């Protein structure tokens, strides 16, 4: 059975009602707007689960995001949903529109389903250029 790991965009865009959703506590914190909060309540009443990510998987995400250059673009919530998706392994599909999240997910083999935007087309490893002295 597929498990859909939901970031905040799932609840903002009112998607995922027909799916087995899992999210993280940080997403609950981000759903403070009245309409989003209601969408979260509906999801919880219909079987969505809220689970804290395992610190071991969170560390793996931090290491990978640093390697891809996406770390500066990721919020704590982004890192948590990526960690939870990694924890579920091949049974997980991460629902997100965030391109940095999609980039890290694609680098470690997490399946991604965009919510309302298009999927990233290329995997990117970002680098920084130091100005010439």
């Amino acid at each position: 059975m597929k498990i859909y790991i939901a970031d905040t965009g799932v609840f903002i865009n009112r998607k995922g009602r027909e799916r087995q959703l899992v999210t993280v506590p940080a997403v609950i914190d981000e759903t403070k707007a009245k309409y989003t909060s209601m969408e979260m309540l509906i999801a919880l009443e219909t079987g969505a689960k809220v689970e804290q990510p395992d610190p071991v998987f969170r560390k793996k995400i931090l290491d990978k995001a640093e390697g891809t250059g996406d770390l500066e673009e990721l919020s704590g919530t982004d890192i948590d949903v990526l960690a939870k998706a990694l924890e579920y392994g091949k049974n997980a599909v991460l629902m997100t529109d965030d391109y940095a999240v999609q980039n890290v997910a694609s680098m470690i083999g997490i399946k991604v389903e965009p919510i309302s935007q298009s999927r990233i087309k290329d995997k990117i490893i970002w680098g920084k250029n130091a100005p010439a002295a």
Side-chain angles (χ1 to χ4, degrees):
M1 174 170 65
K2 287 284 180 209
I3 303 295
Y4 291 85
I5 310 300
D7 81 356
T8 307
V10 170
F11 305 103
I12 290 171
N13 292 289
R14 299 179 178 176
K15 303 284 183 181
R17 286 190 180 179
E18 309 300 317
R19 300 191 173 142
Q20 178 60 49
L21 294 179
V22 173
T23 195
V24 295
V27 168
I28 301 283
D29 294 341
E30 288 185 353
T31 60
K32 299 296 183 197
K34 193 176 236 178
Y35 69 91
T36 309
S37 194
M38 181 59 70
E39 201 60 32
M40 176 61 76
L41 287 173
I42 291 168
L44 293 172
E45 297 248 336
T46 58
K49 296 178 185 173
V50 180
E51 300 175 0
Q52 190 70 38
D54 184 309
V56 170
F57 290 97
R58 198 169 194 286
K59 173 77 169 103
K60 288 180 181 183
I61 295 299
L62 289 168
D63 291 344
K64 184 50 123 177
E66 186 172 6
T68 65
D70 288 300
L71 188 57
E72 292 178 12
E73 300 301 318
L74 297 176
S75 69
T77 303
D78 295 336
I79 293 163
D80 285 354
V81 294
L82 279 160
K84 186 49 68 175
L86 185 60
E87 194 174 332
Y88 271 93
K90 298 205 180 287
N91 293 328
V93 176
L94 178 55
M95 296 179 71
T96 185
D97 281 338
D98 186 296
Y99 290 146
V101 172
Q102 287 184 33
N103 193 52
V104 174
S106 70
M107 295 288 192
I108 55 177
I110 296 172
K111 293 178 191 159
V112 173
E113 182 178 311
I115 302 161
S116 63
Q117 308 237 8
S118 60
R119 178 185 322 268
I120 62 169
K121 292 177 176 57
D122 299 309
K123 296 177 185 178
I124 298 173
I125 297 177
W126 299 100
K128 292 186 178 181
N129 289 332

